[in-house]
Amino acid sequence: MTVRYDVAAEDADMFLRLMGEVEQSRYRTGARKWRLLQRSGAPEEYIEVFRVGSWREYRDQLQSRNTRFDADLLQRARALSAHPPIVEHLRPIEVRPPHGRRRER
């Protein structure tokens, strides 16, 4: 999953503090990995990236694992974005290596 935020420079410190709490919330509610990225050349653009085990786990994270505290926290982070955050749901695909070659891990 990715969530893209556009945050004004004057709100960046507060946003980063909130995202530290968002990270804890994501892990507590089922995320397996979490990162916050900043786009090169666009310092106002932050991209939250987190991974859950399955689509069902993501639905559970939203519907039954999030507490009121988690929902309020996410709302506070979203409120600092100049535009509504853009959420993308991505899923991994298996890429096959060329015939006869083993994929390195």
Side-chain angles (χ1 to χ4, degrees), residues 25-43:
S25 171
R26 297 289 195 202
Y27 278 122
R28 186 176 59 253
T29 59
R32 295 184 179 186
K33 293 198 180 229
W34 185 93
R35 295 290 303 250
L36 184 64
L37 309 172
Q38 189 174 37
R39 187 175 300 279
S40 294

Side-chain angles (χ1 to χ4, degrees), residues 5-17 38 42-46 79-83:
Y5 302 87
D6 291 313
V7 179
E10 62 268 16
D11 294 327
D13 287 341
M14 175 60 78
F15 179 76
L16 293 174
R17 281 194 294 274
Q38 189 174 37
E44 71 285 351
E45 189 171 322
Y46 295 88
L80 291 175
S81 185
H83 308 286

Side-chain angles (χ1 to χ4, degrees), residues 60-95:
D60 288 347
Q61 184 183 47
L62 290 178
Q63 296 171 357
S64 61
R65 294 181 187 161
N66 274 345
T67 64
R68 170 53 71 192
F69 174 82
D70 296 314
D72 289 345
L73 180 62
L74 291 171
Q75 181 55 41
R76 289 169 47 211
R78 289 179 180 131
L80 291 175
S81 185
H83 308 286
I86 298 170
V87 178
E88 293 182 300
H89 303 102
L90 307 171
R91 64 183 181 92
I93 58 170
E94 186 68 31
V95 177

